[in-house]
Amino acid sequence: MSEDTTLICSAKGCRAPAEWVLAWNNPKLHTPERRKTWLACAEHRETLSQFLGVRGFLKDVVALAEWQEREGA
């Protein structure tokens, strides 16, 4: 990913830069180790987390910079 690429929040209609990664999986569809991701700005972190959490899908919430470091991006 180039340095000038700004990752955008996954909330519908939001164009704010992402600050958080919400790692999740749907146990009915994905193997336990599989992680899908949504990106969140500071404003939408809690609402997106709640949406996934209520369904039992949310596995982890990590700062974007830390996630990229972990993934070697």
Side-chain angles (χ1 to χ4, degrees):
M1 173 180 343
S2 68
E3 289 184 25
D4 63 339
T5 301
T6 301
L7 299 174
I8 303 298
C9 179
S10 297
K12 186 175 182 179
C14 185
R15 302 300 302 155
E19 298 177 35
W20 298 94
V21 175
L22 286 63
W24 63 278
N25 85 357
N26 179 340
K28 292 182 180 179
L29 302 175
H30 307 122
T31 59
E33 65 279 353
R34 171 107 187 256
R35 291 295 179 265
K36 305 273 290 176
T37 57
W38 281 358
L39 301 175
C41 64
E43 180 181 350
H44 292 113
R45 174 188 173 190
E46 189 62 33
T47 56
L48 291 174
S49 293
Q50 287 176 352
F51 179 89
L52 292 168
V54 164
R55 290 156 180 79
F57 295 174
L58 186 63
K59 302 302 178 194
D60 202 6
V61 178
V62 180
L64 178 58
E66 183 181 337
W67 183 271
Q68 289 174 320
E69 189 175 297
R70 282 188 199 174
E71 298 297 311

